[in-house]
Amino acid sequence: MVVPEPIGVVLIFSCWNLPLAEGGDGGRRGEKRRKEVRKGGRRGKREKRVGQALRPCSPFDCAPSTGLALEPLSGALAAGNAVVLKPSELAPSTAAFLAANLPKYLDAKAVKIVQGGPEVGEGLMEHRWDKVLFTGNARVGRIIMTKAAKHLTPVALELGSKCPCIVDRINSKWECQVAVNRIVGAKWSTCAGQACIAIDYILVEEQFAPILIELLVSTLERFFTKPEYMARILNEKHFDRLANLLADHRVASSIVHGGGANRKTLTIEPTILLDPPLDSDIMTEEIFGPLLPIITVKKTEDCLAFLKPKPKPLAIYAFTKDEKLKQRIIAETSSGCVTFNDAIVQYGLDTVPFGGIGASGFGQYHGKYTFELFSHRKAVIKRSLWVEFMFRYPPWDEYRMRMLRRAFRFDYVSLVLGLLGLRQHDFKF
């Protein structure tokens, strides 16, 4: 039998963008919370700004989930571990909320909330842990792994990647619009693209690209009628990083929609680019923002050859009705998950594992998989003392060697006959 047991003391580093996710009537509760925040004084203004930048996701995207801080915490506790949770310093209001409220409901001996910046995180990694879960970028992930190696601490990494979206030609006008709605929602409604599972770029047939761009632009204009409907960029550092992606004149010349940016308000318009250079930073680095390159191919099947040499992403999205193409994507590509005819919804499903592969991370959680991530599957074997097989023990004469061969070959019929002393002369080994 297999018995799950706690692995011990767990350290969880949560990210800034989805530490908490609203569920059920989260839209109504979230709006009430935002109104209450706006009524506050100086702290209320600060919360409003952070809330706009850290708006988690729309209710239909993340309804079943409790976020990337509470979900691993609950799974680790359910598995019987003690947990230290380090919220991201980039979301100070959320970190303060967790530190102030979790101790009211959880045993302080089992759960500790540690606030602070990178130096605090580095200090935590100097200690021995039984497991570490880190959600963030690959640069910090490498630091976590390096420090964990000192104590041979097992690590689970949830990292970002360039998640591609394959768009096949869809003849139905209605289905095409539904696909575009889901692409726009997956790219721009979730933290303005500041999410590891957001669509990073689109692959589409060059003949279908103009139709797709036209639909994307019209849908953006319909969805985002007010600037405040778009989340802000996290901070000046990330704003400058995104602005530098567009500063390349080769990239700037490929912009077909948007491109406007305001550093004072930390806002960037939804921006669509058509065939930027593949060797430019925007096509080699994770974008993590409201910029969407569209790469054209001769035919949709060429997308597979395009993706094969790329690092394995956290997710591959594909909008297609072609069943053969779906099977080829599953068989010929490697990624944390594949989602057909939708995007980012896999984050809200607790019945499937969530996690990356290769450069996009390793270790999976959500639902029962969180429990398994923070458990040790201990094998337990029970034997009776009534029956004993003496051929297990020396001296190794011909009879005992013959019986051992039968046992290792799983030749149970010959083994039983040999134990009974029947027809032994008929067997040749």
Side-chain angles (χ1 to χ4, degrees), residues 135-202:
T135 302
N137 61 55
R139 180 186 64 82
V140 181
R142 292 186 181 94
I143 297 174
I144 295 293
M145 284 199 68
T146 300
K147 290 185 173 293
K150 176 181 178 182
H151 301 293
L152 295 180
T153 301
V155 177
L157 299 180
E158 299 295 337
L159 309 177
S161 66
K162 294 185 73 65
C163 298
C165 177
I166 300 171
V167 180
D168 196 8
R169 179 181 290 275
I170 302 175
N171 295 323
S172 167
K173 185 177 180 180
W174 165 257
E175 292 178 345
C176 192
Q177 183 61 61
V178 170
V180 170
N181 291 346
R182 294 174 180 179
I183 291 171
V184 171
K187 177 60 180 180
W188 288 288
S189 71
T190 306
C191 292
Q194 299 171 98
C196 59
I197 54 174
I199 294 173
D200 194 274
Y201 63 95
I202 286 177

Side-chain angles (χ1 to χ4, degrees), residues 38-322:
R38 293 188 186 108
K39 292 178 182 178
R42 293 181 60 189
R43 180 171 176 79
K45 293 181 180 179
R46 177 182 174 220
E47 294 281 359
K48 176 183 175 184
R49 177 174 178 179
V50 173
Q52 286 177 333
L54 306 183
R55 185 185 313 166
C57 52
S58 54
F60 61 82
D61 287 333
C62 299
S65 179
T66 54
L68 296 178
L70 296 186
E71 182 170 16
L73 171 63
S74 61
L77 290 176
N81 302 287
V83 182
V84 172
L85 175 64
K86 165 65 174 66
S88 173
E89 71 277 7
L90 300 179
S93 297
T94 301
F97 171 82
L98 292 172
N101 288 278
L102 285 183
K104 297 178 182 178
Y105 305 98
L106 299 175
D107 187 349
K109 295 180 179 179
V111 180
K112 297 290 184 182
I113 312 298
V114 178
Q115 301 183 73
E119 68 285 350
V120 173
E122 291 185 12
L124 289 171
M125 287 304 300
E126 293 299 325
H127 298 276
R128 182 185 300 275
W129 305 92
D130 294 295
K131 191 151 200 173
V132 174
L133 169 63
F134 170 77
T135 302
N137 61 55
R139 180 186 64 82
V140 181
R142 292 186 181 94
I143 297 174
I144 295 293
M145 284 199 68
T146 300
K147 290 185 173 293
K150 176 181 178 182
H151 301 293
L152 295 180
T153 301
V155 177
L157 299 180
E158 299 295 337
L159 309 177
S161 66
K162 294 185 73 65
C163 298
C165 177
I166 300 171
V167 180
D168 196 8
R169 179 181 290 275
I170 302 175
N171 295 323
S172 167
K173 185 177 180 180
W174 165 257
E175 292 178 345
C176 192
Q177 183 61 61
V178 170
V180 170
N181 291 346
R182 294 174 180 179
I183 291 171
V184 171
K187 177 60 180 180
W188 288 288
S189 71
T190 306
C191 292
Q194 299 171 98
C196 59
I197 54 174
I199 294 173
D200 194 274
Y201 63 95
I202 286 177
L203 295 169
V204 65
E205 285 186 5
E206 58 185 16
Q207 293 182 347
F208 189 60
I211 299 173
L212 177 62
I213 292 172
E214 182 180 353
L215 286 172
L216 286 171
V217 172
S218 62
T219 304
L220 280 168
E221 292 173 349
R222 190 171 75 254
F223 282 5
F224 300 101
T225 56
K226 297 180 180 180
E228 57 265 30
Y229 288 172
M230 275 283 292
R232 301 185 186 199
I233 305 305
L234 173 62
N235 53 33
E236 289 83 359
K237 176 182 177 180
H238 285 279
F239 180 92
D240 293 339
R241 178 185 61 81
L242 291 167
N244 288 334
L245 294 179
L246 298 178
D248 186 336
H249 70 278
R250 302 176 303 162
V251 174
S253 62
S254 69
I255 296 175
V256 295
H257 176 77
N262 187 325
R263 194 174 190 273
K264 184 177 180 180
T265 59
L266 295 179
T267 55
I268 297 178
E269 288 182 318
T271 301
I272 301 173
L273 307 94
L274 180 61
D275 284 324
L278 297 180
D279 62 348
S280 60
D281 289 344
I282 201 170
M283 287 307 300
T284 57
E285 300 177 5
E286 181 185 11
I287 294 174
F288 211 74
L291 316 178
L292 180 63
I294 295 178
I295 305 300
T296 59
V297 293
K298 293 295 182 181
K299 53 184 181 179
T300 305
E301 292 76 7
D302 295 339
C303 296
L304 300 175
F306 182 91
L307 294 176
K308 282 182 180 179
K310 305 292 183 184
K312 298 175 181 179
L314 184 60
I316 292 178
Y317 306 113
F319 289 84
T320 179
K321 298 175 68 176
D322 187 337

Side-chain angles (χ1 to χ4, degrees), residues 4 6 15 18 24 174 181 306 310 325 351 390:
C15 57
L18 297 173
W174 165 257
N181 291 346
F306 182 91
K310 305 292 183 184
L325 178 61
T351 55
M390 294 306 296

